[in-house]
Amino acid sequence: MESSSSPKVEPDADDDVSEEVFEHFDDFTIASSWERFISKIEAICRLWMADGPNNLLEKGAIPLENSKNSYKIKSELQYDVKSYWMEYYFETKTGKSFDWNSTFHDLQLCFGVKEFLLIAPQSASGVVLDAPEASKLLSAVAIALSNSSSLWPAFVPVHDPSRKAYIGIQNTGTAFTRRFEADRIGSQVPPSLMHLEGLYQLFVSKFAYCTDDLDKHLIKVQFAMKLTYRTLPYDDDNIKDIDVQNTKSGKNLAGESSNERLWDDDCSWSEWYSSEDPVKGFELIAIWSEKTIESSMEMEEVENASPHEAEKWFISPSFSPYLLEYSNGNQFGFASALHLLVDAFEMSFEAQFLEDFVSAESPGPDNLKSSMVIPPPTVRDRVLKELFDEGVQLIDSAYDEHKTPQAIKGAPLETLFAQFCLHSLWVGNCHIRAIAALWIEFVQEVRWCWEESQLLPRMPVNGSIDLSTCLINQKLHMLAVCIKKKREWNEDHRECMGSEDQIDYMTEEESAVGDDTSSMQAQNEDFSGKFTGEPRSFPTSRDLHYSDTAFTVSQDPVKDDLLNGEKSSDQTRRGSAGVIDSMMLLKSYQRMHAPYTQEAPLMTEDMYEERLQALEASNGSFNYFAQLERDILTSDMAAFKAANPDAIFEDFIRWHSPADWLEDPEVEKSKDNWPPRGHLSKRMSESDNLWRELWDRAHALAASEQKPLFDPNREGEKVIHYLETLRPHQLLAQMVCTAFLAAADTVNKTSYGELKQMETKMQQLYLTMAPALKPLEANRLSADSETIEDLKRQCVVFGHVENLLTVAASLHRKLVQAPRLAVEIFIDFYNFYIPRMGTGLEEDYSNKKEFDTKQIVWNNEREVVSSMFVPPTANQSWRKVFSMGNLLNGHEPMVREIIFSLHDGVSNNHYAAPNASVSEQEIDTYRMYICGTSNDLRVSLSVVSCD
Amino acid sequence: MDSSSSQEFDYLFKLLMIGDSGVGKSSLLLCFTSDTFDDLAPTIGVDFKVKYVMMDGKKLKLAIWDTAGQERFRTLTSSYYRGAQGIIMVYDVTRRETFTNLSEVWAKEIELYSTNQDCIKMLVGNKVDKESDRVVTKKEGIDFAREYGCLFIECSAKTRVNVQQCFEELVLKILDTPSLLAEGSKGIKKNIFKDKPPQSDAATSGCC
């Protein structure tokens, strides 16, 4: 027994005192520096092992960039004069077995390991250049790991960094040790190693013990392969090439003949700018897994196989770097232009009048010569021509659709002012001077339309003014209506064009028209049609739907009256829109006629506010504010009297305020329903009733004879005056709101398939825009820094949304046949991008992590994906010498990764340790990872041996 | 004349009363503001009353706009919806059509013209003193209020039953809604176009 003892475990203490001391003390005084180095490594390893992954996290392990749940922890080591880093890479979640996609470090793929140690010198190159040093280092680690009975593999980088060479060792817990070696050929790969067959031979040649009987034994080599293909980048040259080729070969699938076609031609923003395609291309990864190869012949077959035979396909887009480069978001989109507009808004407070920004005499506070930023007349002409293109008329329904509930005071996208704002964004760098110059000419053009009675383009000519839009838009709407009324008047009275006084003229004309019933009737209908825009009788047809006591208007009043044989009142009846069925006058046996009434005057927001203020100032005293309403009521009464010469007050109330006429229910109705029985409500019948007062004072006058409630000449002039005297900051404030809204509406029109995230993001954009733009509506408008800051932040947000939208649109266009993939890839990008959506300030996400999420391609989507690999043109393919197989539509893989492995039942092996539990399993005795192309090859080998 | 008193309140709320002609909007308002009942003449266009109240320890100025029910005035009254923090929809429990018109006419008007998404709506069934003539049941009112997300109360301007409560409840609800409270605290809105340009005193350069 004694003789067999090794010196280190010498139990006999009595013989040797020094041994005794060694047992109880860590006496380093006699240990070599190498031994101390080993024990230090050992100490660190024991510590890390004892801690376990979760405690290491608390101790400051650094998360790895490329993967979730993976970390590394570092420790420094000294050996002689050199210092080293020892790093331990680990995962908190132990995943499945090997998977191409689940690695977080390329060493894992190279050597088929999970957690590992890496020891590297703290030098510039980070590798051990000296071969003896490297093996010494590795031995030290091996001993330390063995002492601490750790099964971690350990690696040391060697040679030149570019070779990515490593050596490594792993204690397997049995008699075996696994050794690792990796190296790379950066150029001039031997032709034999370009092909799978040659690589197979290389692997097989490593089985030292059986190379001789290679042909006799059937060696079952496990084989897995991953091929990465890349589409041609979607840049202009390639697209053109492809187009040319397609056109020539006559199989132009897209049906496009123009070579100048840009990817975003059909996107809504392309009217204003063209965006760089955010999706540069796609990478396709085709994976063959676990194939058993028995001869090199089979390898040849594999090399000829189409990627379509691969078991799995993954797709990964490569995005343009611009998406993440600019902290202000999209470089050339609306966001940047809006940013300039906000700058212009800030400057707009510096002058009193817009003319000040244009005139050459006052250089302005920015000391820029106006000629530098004001676009030349040709540009301004072009813009104005486009804006005032007569062909463009707004459809009323389209106008109404744009009523948005977002509480942003802008203008509907297609309207004149919204288009003006969008044009301004791209003229003269959106400088205040350029805007001012453009606006002045814009107003001149509007005035010309007014003077010449030309309809305003892009504006509705009827309907009520939408007070939720910005004031300029309301004013332009008002003007459009005024111009239309003026035109109608002009057309109607062409011979009297000289007369300026419309009112006088009308009254004369109407009263001069004789007593001839039929001509009067025609005249009235004719006139009313022109005067109010439509032959509108009050109540309108719309109102008829809901009222129980609704009137129906007979279409043929003349005939009705003739039947009733009442010519007498017809001779004085004027302005009737027709009889009201089932309504008879109280005091004469006649049908009640509904009169044409004047339309209520149009008002813009400022006019309403004036009224409200006057009303509030009067503190509810009734006299001033209801004047307009009283005028309308009086006008209605006069019209009613004219249409029903024999009517009394009660008749008017029955028509105008039916609730105030109470029918007597008990009276049985006569055949003709005449006379109607009933009485006025109490409130209507009181003696001091204002309604009755007004009735008594009203003279019978048809609506066409009355003084108009709305004077288009006056209101039109007021609008022109408003536009011409608008303050710069008032203009710019409304432009900012309108431009934001119009820009958002524009990009929102782009189709991008069904992407909930994008929809939500768009809605969020509107929601965040509203409060940022709110201060611009405030009455005391000022360019306080907070407002400006908010607006600029909003520009950044806009840019991010724009980026996301271009990505969504681009993916949608490229993967329109595989919508599921488009959605999944977008969601990946969205999740990648959202944390980076800063507000323009530097944030923690400055580390530029690449987007590398892959999506599995379903079998039914393979055709679509494969069709994206357009066969390269002759021009492109001559550049490359094909040396690899597995072509996909003429594209050879960018990278080919192969894993060979040889499984061995260790228990059958004569090397096996009898009782080790691991011995029951099959282990990879040989494993080789090969990664590369025809001129770059990297080989990593791991071999199990028993030395 | 109002400007001196404009700071004598903490919040200004704008309330709007709508509903068919003759349901008693003006009477309700009169009952609330002066605690009297009168069979008022029909409103022409719009009427307006101010009432100061203390609630939750806050001084409130209520500007209550009373609109005419006649459809002729409807295009005009549409502008009064703007900026209202509370809208009172009134119907007459003895006239069914005034109730059905709420859903067919007035609720749509609110949707069209109200600029305030958080604005509090209240449904008021008036004239409950005429119990024998009642044709709209309380349950129908409750169902309507639930469907449209309104407060609901039945009251009588004539007997003053529930009139004060009606307005109080509405105002309390507005006080509970932060966005409305924020609007109310801004004070009286000034018209932007009557504003003098901010630099008017300093600007002399503009003269030519």
Side-chain angles (χ1 to χ4, degrees), chain B residues 66-129:
Chain B
D66 176 22
T67 60
Q70 283 83 10
E71 47 192 304
R72 175 54 168 155
F73 296 119
R74 209 161 286 151
T75 47
L76 285 177
T77 50
S78 62
S79 64
Y80 297 98
Y81 287 78
R82 298 174 57 243
Q85 283 95 20
I87 296 179
I88 304 171
M89 291 184 274
V90 189
Y91 67 96
D92 178 350
V93 296
T94 68
R95 280 162 59 210
R96 170 150 307 272
E97 77 272 13
T98 64
F99 181 70
T100 49
N101 274 349
L102 284 181
S103 56
E104 283 167 21
V105 179
W106 297 105
K108 288 175 188 160
E109 298 262 309
I110 293 177
E111 209 170 285
L112 266 175
Y113 300 119
S114 174
T115 57
N116 201 327
Q117 288 196 325
D118 296 331
C119 135
I120 310 289
K121 286 168 282 182
M122 172 172 257
L123 178 67
V124 177
N126 192 24
K127 306 193 184 175
V128 289
D129 51 292

Side-chain angles (χ1 to χ4, degrees), chain A residues 352-377:
Chain A
Q352 275 267 56
F353 304 104
L354 281 154
E355 287 78 3
D356 295 347
F357 288 110
V358 183
S359 62
E361 289 79 45
S362 54
D366 57 346
N367 295 323
L368 271 174
K369 276 188 188 156
S370 46
S371 58
M372 282 170 64
V373 284
I374 295 179

Side-chain angles (χ1 to χ4, degrees), chain A residues 471 546 598 605 636 657 779, chain B residues 70 72 74 190 193 195:
Chain A
L471 191 59
Y546 61 81
Q598 288 204 44
E605 192 180 13
D636 287 353
S657 180
N779 308 316
Chain B
Q70 283 83 10
R72 175 54 168 155
R74 209 161 286 151
K190 288 255 158 54
F193 303 97
D195 260 5

Side-chain angles (χ1 to χ4, degrees), chain A residues 348-606:
Chain A
S348 68
F349 289 86
E350 291 167 6
Q352 275 267 56
F353 304 104
L354 281 154
E355 287 78 3
D356 295 347
F357 288 110
V358 183
S359 62
E361 289 79 45
S362 54
D366 57 346
N367 295 323
L368 271 174
K369 276 188 188 156
S370 46
S371 58
M372 282 170 64
V373 284
I374 295 179
T378 52
V379 173
R380 304 201 297 264
D381 274 0
R382 179 184 55 77
V383 170
L384 287 171
K385 276 213 184 81
E386 222 166 289
L387 279 171
F388 285 87
D389 181 3
E390 277 176 41
V392 185
Q393 286 300 335
L394 203 67
I395 306 155
D396 285 353
S397 61
Y399 183 77
D400 288 339
E401 270 169 34
H402 280 100
K403 281 181 180 165
T404 43
Q406 285 121 7
I408 297 167
K409 279 183 98 71
L413 183 57
E414 300 303 329
T415 57
L416 190 56
F417 184 60
Q419 293 294 309
F420 170 82
C421 291
L422 289 180
H423 274 287
S424 311
L425 289 176
W426 312 102
V427 170
N429 257 340
C430 199
H431 193 271
I432 180 74
R433 291 163 177 278
I435 292 171
L438 200 60
W439 172 255
I440 288 165
E441 288 184 22
F442 175 81
V443 173
Q444 281 166 0
E445 200 69 29
V446 170
R447 178 179 260 290
W448 182 85
C449 287
W450 166 243
E451 305 287 354
E452 300 293 318
S453 300
Q454 297 295 314
L455 288 180
L456 277 187
R458 303 171 194 275
M459 287 310 289
V461 287
N462 30 41
S464 58
I465 291 176
D466 184 355
L467 302 182
S468 65
T469 63
C470 69
L471 191 59
I472 292 176
N473 183 60
Q474 293 179 36
K475 291 283 182 191
L476 288 171
H477 189 169
M478 169 79 99
L479 188 67
V481 173
C482 291
I483 291 174
K484 189 187 169 222
K485 287 194 189 302
K486 216 167 95 167
R487 270 167 76 98
E488 283 161 2
W489 185 83
N490 284 345
E491 277 167 22
D492 213 22
H493 308 277
R494 204 156 275 152
E495 69 275 19
C496 298
M497 281 290 270
S499 166
E500 288 291 326
D501 194 341
Q502 185 192 357
I503 301 150
D504 283 354
Y505 168 77
M506 285 196 315
T507 322
E508 282 161 24
E509 172 79 357
E510 286 307 296
S511 47
V513 173
D515 302 328
D516 181 10
T517 312
S518 56
S519 79
M520 187 68 229
Q521 200 72 41
Q523 175 73 23
N524 272 336
E525 285 182 359
D526 189 24
F527 185 86
S528 300
K530 281 165 187 147
F531 185 73
T532 59
E534 59 200 72
R536 172 182 175 275
S537 76
F538 162 73
T540 64
S541 54
R542 178 175 68 97
D543 298 330
L544 292 173
H545 296 301
Y546 61 81
S547 174
D548 293 353
T549 58
F551 322 88
T552 44
V553 175
S554 159
Q555 292 305 311
D556 198 351
V558 179
K559 191 179 154 204
D560 257 17
D561 282 346
L562 285 173
L563 281 176
N564 290 329
E566 289 155 28
K567 289 185 178 173
S568 58
S569 44
D570 277 344
Q571 285 170 359
T572 49
R573 186 190 307 284
R574 283 163 302 153
S576 164
V579 299
I580 301 162
D581 278 353
S582 80
M583 292 274 277
M584 299 289 285
L585 294 185
L586 284 167
K587 296 289 174 185
S588 75
Y589 186 73
Q590 286 178 33
R591 293 186 182 275
M592 186 187 285
H593 285 246
Y596 283 114
T597 54
Q598 288 204 44
E599 272 185 346
L602 286 176
M603 287 199 278
T604 53
E605 192 180 13
D606 53 334

Side-chain angles (χ1 to χ4, degrees), chain A residues 331-345:
Chain A
Q331 187 195 17
F332 24 66
F334 279 116
S336 57
L338 287 170
H339 203 273
L340 294 171
L341 184 64
V342 173
D343 288 340
F345 169 62

